[in-house]
PDB file of all heavy atoms in Angstrom:
ATOM      1  N   GLY A   1      95.744  84.525  80.207  1.00 87.00           N
ATOM      2  CA  GLY A   1      94.727  83.547  80.666  1.00 87.00           C
ATOM      3  C   GLY A   1      94.841  82.254  80.011  1.00 87.00           C
ATOM      4  O   GLY A   1      94.790  81.212  80.642  1.00 87.00           O
ATOM      5  N   GLU A   2      95.270  82.286  78.715  1.00 88.00           N
ATOM      6  CA  GLU A   2      95.541  80.972  78.002  1.00 88.00           C
ATOM      7  C   GLU A   2      96.641  80.240  78.580  1.00 88.00           C
ATOM      8  O   GLU A   2      96.659  79.002  78.703  1.00 88.00           O
ATOM      9  CB  GLU A   2      95.632  81.258  76.549  1.00 88.00           C
ATOM     10  CG  GLU A   2      95.644  80.037  75.679  1.00 88.00           C
ATOM     11  CD  GLU A   2      95.464  80.376  74.240  1.00 88.00           C
ATOM     12  OE1 GLU A   2      95.539  81.549  73.849  1.00 88.00           O
ATOM     13  OE2 GLU A   2      95.211  79.428  73.446  1.00 88.00           O
ATOM     14  N   ALA A   3      97.792  80.990  78.912  1.00 89.00           N
ATOM     15  CA  ALA A   3      98.975  80.284  79.380  1.00 89.00           C
ATOM     16  C   ALA A   3      98.623  79.679  80.786  1.00 89.00           C
ATOM     17  O   ALA A   3      99.193  78.632  80.989  1.00 89.00           O
ATOM     18  CB  ALA A   3     100.139  81.326  79.455  1.00 89.00           C
ATOM     19  N   ALA A   4      97.905  80.380  81.604  1.00 91.00           N
ATOM     20  CA  ALA A   4      97.665  79.875  82.891  1.00 91.00           C
ATOM     21  C   ALA A   4      96.742  78.636  82.836  1.00 91.00           C
ATOM     22  O   ALA A   4      96.825  77.764  83.535  1.00 91.00           O
ATOM     23  CB  ALA A   4      97.061  80.918  83.758  1.00 91.00           C
ATOM     24  N   GLY A   5      95.738  78.704  81.921  1.00 92.00           N
ATOM     25  CA  GLY A   5      94.694  77.638  81.780  1.00 92.00           C
ATOM     26  C   GLY A   5      93.705  77.613  83.007  1.00 92.00           C
ATOM     27  O   GLY A   5      93.966  78.088  84.029  1.00 92.00           O
ATOM     28  N   TYR A   6      92.449  77.292  82.498  1.00 93.00           N
ATOM     29  CA  TYR A   6      91.460  77.233  83.449  1.00 93.00           C
ATOM     30  C   TYR A   6      91.217  75.841  83.942  1.00 93.00           C
ATOM     31  O   TYR A   6      91.131  74.906  83.281  1.00 93.00           O
ATOM     32  CB  TYR A   6      90.095  77.785  82.761  1.00 93.00           C
ATOM     33  CG  TYR A   6      88.892  77.773  83.646  1.00 93.00           C
ATOM     34  CD1 TYR A   6      88.757  78.584  84.737  1.00 93.00           C
ATOM     35  CD2 TYR A   6      87.779  76.803  83.372  1.00 93.00           C
ATOM     36  CE1 TYR A   6      87.628  78.546  85.529  1.00 93.00           C
ATOM     37  CE2 TYR A   6      86.701  76.879  84.166  1.00 93.00           C
ATOM     38  CZ  TYR A   6      86.612  77.807  85.221  1.00 93.00           C
ATOM     39  OH  TYR A   6      85.472  77.760  86.028  1.00 93.00           O
ATOM     40  N   PRO A   7      91.230  75.693  85.371  1.00 94.00           N
ATOM     41  CA  PRO A   7      91.248  74.259  85.930  1.00 94.00           C
ATOM     42  C   PRO A   7      89.899  73.569  85.633  1.00 94.00           C
ATOM     43  O   PRO A   7      89.950  72.348  85.599  1.00 94.00           O
ATOM     44  CB  PRO A   7      91.366  74.606  87.402  1.00 94.00           C
ATOM     45  CG  PRO A   7      91.003  75.919  87.610  1.00 94.00           C
ATOM     46  CD  PRO A   7      91.266  76.726  86.376  1.00 94.00           C
ATOM     47  N   GLY A   8      88.909  74.228  85.302  1.00 91.00           N
ATOM     48  CA  GLY A   8      87.567  73.648  85.012  1.00 91.00           C
ATOM     49  C   GLY A   8      87.312  73.297  83.564  1.00 91.00           C
ATOM     50  O   GLY A   8      86.295  72.761  83.253  1.00 91.00           O
ATOM     51  N   GLU A   9      88.308  73.637  82.732  1.00 91.00           N
ATOM     52  CA  GLU A   9      88.135  73.403  81.326  1.00 91.00           C
ATOM     53  C   GLU A   9      87.770  71.997  80.933  1.00 91.00           C
ATOM     54  O   GLU A   9      86.951  71.788  79.978  1.00 91.00           O
ATOM     55  CB  GLU A   9      89.248  73.952  80.538  1.00 91.00           C
ATOM     56  CG  GLU A   9      89.055  73.953  79.020  1.00 91.00           C
ATOM     57  CD  GLU A   9      90.035  74.824  78.215  1.00 91.00           C
ATOM     58  OE1 GLU A   9      91.097  75.226  78.728  1.00 91.00           O
ATOM     59  OE2 GLU A   9      89.754  75.020  77.059  1.00 91.00           O
ATOM     60  N   PRO A  10      88.424  70.974  81.513  1.00 90.00           N
ATOM     61  CA  PRO A  10      87.999  69.585  81.188  1.00 90.00           C
ATOM     62  C   PRO A  10      86.552  69.216  81.316  1.00 90.00           C
ATOM     63  O   PRO A  10      86.042  68.362  80.720  1.00 90.00           O
ATOM     64  CB  PRO A  10      88.922  68.752  82.096  1.00 90.00           C
ATOM     65  CG  PRO A  10      90.014  69.644  82.450  1.00 90.00           C
ATOM     66  CD  PRO A  10      89.504  71.011  82.546  1.00 90.00           C
ATOM     67  N   TYR A  11      85.834  70.063  82.184  1.00 89.00           N
ATOM     68  CA  TYR A  11      84.449  69.791  82.467  1.00 89.00           C
ATOM     69  C   TYR A  11      83.503  70.558  81.596  1.00 89.00           C
ATOM     70  O   TYR A  11      82.319  70.391  81.711  1.00 89.00           O
ATOM     71  CB  TYR A  11      84.186  69.991  83.908  1.00 89.00           C
ATOM     72  CG  TYR A  11      85.095  69.253  84.897  1.00 89.00           C
ATOM     73  CD1 TYR A  11      86.225  69.885  85.491  1.00 89.00           C
ATOM     74  CD2 TYR A  11      85.057  67.896  84.983  1.00 89.00           C
ATOM     75  CE1 TYR A  11      87.110  69.173  86.213  1.00 89.00           C
ATOM     76  CE2 TYR A  11      85.854  67.280  85.827  1.00 89.00           C
ATOM     77  CZ  TYR A  11      87.029  67.833  86.364  1.00 89.00           C
ATOM     78  OH  TYR A  11      87.773  67.141  87.120  1.00 89.00           O
ATOM     79  N   LEU A  12      83.976  71.436  80.753  1.00 89.00           N
ATOM     80  CA  LEU A  12      83.166  72.317  79.893  1.00 89.00           C
ATOM     81  C   LEU A  12      82.727  71.590  78.563  1.00 89.00           C
ATOM     82  O   LEU A  12      83.475  70.679  78.119  1.00 89.00           O
ATOM     83  CB  LEU A  12      83.977  73.587  79.594  1.00 89.00           C
ATOM     84  CG  LEU A  12      84.399  74.369  80.750  1.00 89.00           C
ATOM     85  CD1 LEU A  12      85.156  75.659  80.300  1.00 89.00           C
ATOM     86  CD2 LEU A  12      83.064  74.956  81.513  1.00 89.00           C
ATOM     87  N   ASP A  13      81.699  72.073  78.054  1.00 89.00           N
ATOM     88  CA  ASP A  13      81.196  71.487  76.685  1.00 89.00           C
ATOM     89  C   ASP A  13      81.883  71.921  75.584  1.00 89.00           C
ATOM     90  O   ASP A  13      81.929  71.359  74.492  1.00 89.00           O
ATOM     91  CB  ASP A  13      79.608  71.714  76.592  1.00 89.00           C
ATOM     92  CG  ASP A  13      78.822  70.989  77.667  1.00 89.00           C
ATOM     93  OD1 ASP A  13      79.301  69.919  78.230  1.00 89.00           O
ATOM     94  OD2 ASP A  13      77.724  71.490  77.956  1.00 89.00           O
ATOM     95  N   ALA A  14      82.585  73.065  75.642  1.00 87.00           N
ATOM     96  CA  ALA A  14      83.243  73.670  74.540  1.00 87.00           C
ATOM     97  C   ALA A  14      84.577  74.220  74.974  1.00 87.00           C
ATOM     98  O   ALA A  14      84.669  74.650  76.239  1.00 87.00           O
ATOM     99  CB  ALA A  14      82.390  74.819  73.933  1.00 87.00           C
ATOM    100  N   PRO A  15      85.542  74.424  74.150  1.00 86.00           N
ATOM    101  CA  PRO A  15      86.847  75.017  74.596  1.00 86.00           C
ATOM    102  C   PRO A  15      86.617  76.447  74.903  1.00 86.00           C
ATOM    103  O   PRO A  15      85.733  77.140  74.331  1.00 86.00           O
ATOM    104  CB  PRO A  15      87.806  74.812  73.411  1.00 86.00           C
ATOM    105  CG  PRO A  15      86.902  74.595  72.206  1.00 86.00           C
ATOM    106  CD  PRO A  15      85.624  73.974  72.766  1.00 86.00           C
ATOM    107  N   ILE A  16      87.513  77.011  75.687  1.00 85.00           N
ATOM    108  CA  ILE A  16      87.466  78.477  76.063  1.00 85.00           C
ATOM    109  C   ILE A  16      88.091  79.250  75.010  1.00 85.00           C
ATOM    110  O   ILE A  16      89.237  78.911  74.501  1.00 85.00           O
ATOM    111  CB  ILE A  16      88.244  78.702  77.372  1.00 85.00           C
ATOM    112  CG1 ILE A  16      87.499  77.901  78.525  1.00 85.00           C
ATOM    113  CG2 ILE A  16      88.215  80.176  77.802  1.00 85.00           C
ATOM    114  CD1 ILE A  16      88.235  77.893  79.906  1.00 85.00           C
ATOM    115  N   GLY A  17      87.468  80.355  74.627  1.00 82.00           N
ATOM    116  CA  GLY A  17      88.069  81.364  73.752  1.00 82.00           C
ATOM    117  C   GLY A  17      88.701  82.483  74.673  1.00 82.00           C
ATOM    118  O   GLY A  17      87.826  83.194  75.309  1.00 82.00           O
ATOM    119  N   TYR A  18      89.877  82.651  74.655  1.00 79.00           N
ATOM    120  CA  TYR A  18      90.521  83.686  75.546  1.00 79.00           C
ATOM    121  C   TYR A  18      90.523  85.141  75.023  1.00 79.00           C
ATOM    122  O   TYR A  18      91.095  85.973  75.663  1.00 79.00           O
ATOM    123  CB  TYR A  18      91.951  83.118  75.893  1.00 79.00           C
ATOM    124  CG  TYR A  18      91.911  82.027  76.860  1.00 79.00           C
ATOM    125  CD1 TYR A  18      91.979  80.722  76.298  1.00 79.00           C
ATOM    126  CD2 TYR A  18      91.722  82.225  78.179  1.00 79.00           C
ATOM    127  CE1 TYR A  18      91.987  79.647  77.237  1.00 79.00           C
ATOM    128  CE2 TYR A  18      91.636  81.104  79.090  1.00 79.00           C
ATOM    129  CZ  TYR A  18      91.809  79.855  78.539  1.00 79.00           C
ATOM    130  OH  TYR A  18      91.824  78.771  79.442  1.00 79.00           O
ATOM    131  N   THR A  19      90.049  85.343  73.806  1.00 75.00           N
ATOM    132  CA  THR A  19      89.922  86.700  73.301  1.00 75.00           C
ATOM    133  C   THR A  19      88.468  87.253  73.553  1.00 75.00           C
ATOM    134  O   THR A  19      87.494  86.490  73.500  1.00 75.00           O
ATOM    135  CB  THR A  19      90.191  86.731  71.748  1.00 75.00           C
ATOM    136  OG1 THR A  19      89.278  85.814  71.094  1.00 75.00           O
ATOM    137  CG2 THR A  19      91.587  86.213  71.506  1.00 75.00           C
ATOM    138  N   VAL A  20      88.423  88.498  73.883  1.00 63.00           N
ATOM    139  CA  VAL A  20      87.126  89.079  74.130  1.00 63.00           C
ATOM    140  C   VAL A  20      86.829  90.085  72.993  1.00 63.00           C
ATOM    141  O   VAL A  20      87.557  91.044  72.713  1.00 63.00           O
ATOM    142  CB  VAL A  20      87.221  89.959  75.491  1.00 63.00           C
ATOM    143  CG1 VAL A  20      85.887  90.573  75.730  1.00 63.00           C
ATOM    144  CG2 VAL A  20      87.664  89.100  76.614  1.00 63.00           C
ATOM    145  N   GLU A  21      85.757  89.720  72.227  1.00 62.00           N
ATOM    146  CA  GLU A  21      85.357  90.544  71.101  1.00 62.00           C
ATOM    147  C   GLU A  21      84.979  91.858  71.476  1.00 62.00           C
ATOM    148  O   GLU A  21      84.290  92.133  72.412  1.00 62.00           O
ATOM    149  CB  GLU A  21      84.137  89.911  70.416  1.00 62.00           C
ATOM    150  CG  GLU A  21      83.952  90.368  68.964  1.00 62.00           C
ATOM    151  CD  GLU A  21      82.788  89.678  68.283  1.00 62.00           C
ATOM    152  OE1 GLU A  21      82.908  88.372  68.388  1.00 62.00           O
ATOM    153  OE2 GLU A  21      82.023  90.242  67.636  1.00 62.00           O
ATOM    154  N   GLY A  22      85.583  92.867  70.735  1.00 55.00           N
ATOM    155  CA  GLY A  22      85.335  94.322  71.048  1.00 55.00           C
ATOM    156  C   GLY A  22      86.208  94.917  72.158  1.00 55.00           C
ATOM    157  O   GLY A  22      86.045  96.020  72.518  1.00 55.00           O
ATOM    158  N   TRP A  23      87.091  94.072  72.684  1.00 55.00           N
ATOM    159  CA  TRP A  23      87.868  94.615  73.805  1.00 55.00           C
ATOM    160  C   TRP A  23      89.347  94.735  73.282  1.00 55.00           C
ATOM    161  O   TRP A  23      89.875  93.844  72.720  1.00 55.00           O
ATOM    162  CB  TRP A  23      87.855  93.484  74.951  1.00 55.00           C
ATOM    163  CG  TRP A  23      88.736  94.057  76.168  1.00 55.00           C
ATOM    164  CD1 TRP A  23      88.636  95.260  76.653  1.00 55.00           C
ATOM    165  CD2 TRP A  23      89.392  93.101  76.936  1.00 55.00           C
ATOM    166  NE1 TRP A  23      89.478  95.208  77.850  1.00 55.00           N
ATOM    167  CE2 TRP A  23      90.026  93.869  78.017  1.00 55.00           C
ATOM    168  CE3 TRP A  23      89.833  91.731  76.896  1.00 55.00           C
ATOM    169  CZ2 TRP A  23      90.830  93.425  79.024  1.00 55.00           C
ATOM    170  CZ3 TRP A  23      90.589  91.322  77.892  1.00 55.00           C
ATOM    171  CH2 TRP A  23      91.084  92.120  78.914  1.00 55.00           C
ATOM    172  N   ASP A  24      89.821  95.941  73.361  1.00 54.00           N
ATOM    173  CA  ASP A  24      91.248  96.212  72.896  1.00 54.00           C
ATOM    174  C   ASP A  24      92.154  95.681  73.957  1.00 54.00           C
ATOM    175  O   ASP A  24      92.529  96.408  74.917  1.00 54.00           O
ATOM    176  CB  ASP A  24      91.407  97.689  72.660  1.00 54.00           C
ATOM    177  CG  ASP A  24      92.804  97.988  72.159  1.00 54.00           C
ATOM    178  OD1 ASP A  24      93.590  97.032  71.984  1.00 54.00           O
ATOM    179  OD2 ASP A  24      92.956  99.223  71.906  1.00 54.00           O
ATOM    180  N   ASN A  25      92.675  94.480  73.790  1.00 52.00           N
ATOM    181  CA  ASN A  25      93.546  93.840  74.780  1.00 52.00           C
ATOM    182  C   ASN A  25      94.813  94.693  75.037  1.00 52.00           C
ATOM    183  O   ASN A  25      95.342  94.787  76.103  1.00 52.00           O
ATOM    184  CB  ASN A  25      93.843  92.514  74.343  1.00 52.00           C
ATOM    185  CG  ASN A  25      94.161  91.542  75.404  1.00 52.00           C
ATOM    186  OD1 ASN A  25      93.890  91.839  76.604  1.00 52.00           O
ATOM    187  ND2 ASN A  25      94.754  90.389  75.134  1.00 52.00           N
ATOM    188  N   LYS A  26      95.282  95.328  74.021  1.00 54.00           N
ATOM    189  CA  LYS A  26      96.543  96.063  74.107  1.00 54.00           C
ATOM    190  C   LYS A  26      96.267  97.362  74.975  1.00 54.00           C
ATOM    191  O   LYS A  26      97.169  97.742  75.753  1.00 54.00           O
ATOM    192  CB  LYS A  26      97.087  96.567  72.737  1.00 54.00           C
ATOM    193  CG  LYS A  26      97.528  95.423  71.983  1.00 54.00           C
ATOM    194  CD  LYS A  26      98.059  95.833  70.514  1.00 54.00           C
ATOM    195  CE  LYS A  26      98.389  94.610  69.664  1.00 54.00           C
ATOM    196  NZ  LYS A  26      98.681  94.955  68.331  1.00 54.00           N
TER     197      LYS A  26
END
């Protein structure tokens, strides 16, 4: 997700955190 980038990010009030707490990404 971070590599692809979110197209709406410039319009957000805060940067996106691409990690999900409690989620085992592996």
Side-chain angles (χ1 to χ4, degrees):
E2 191 168 7
Y6 179 63
E9 190 163 12
Y11 307 103
L12 299 175
D13 293 335
I16 297 173
Y18 288 95
T19 58
V20 181
E21 192 171 319
W23 183 42
D24 181 359
N25 209 13
K26 292 178 185 173

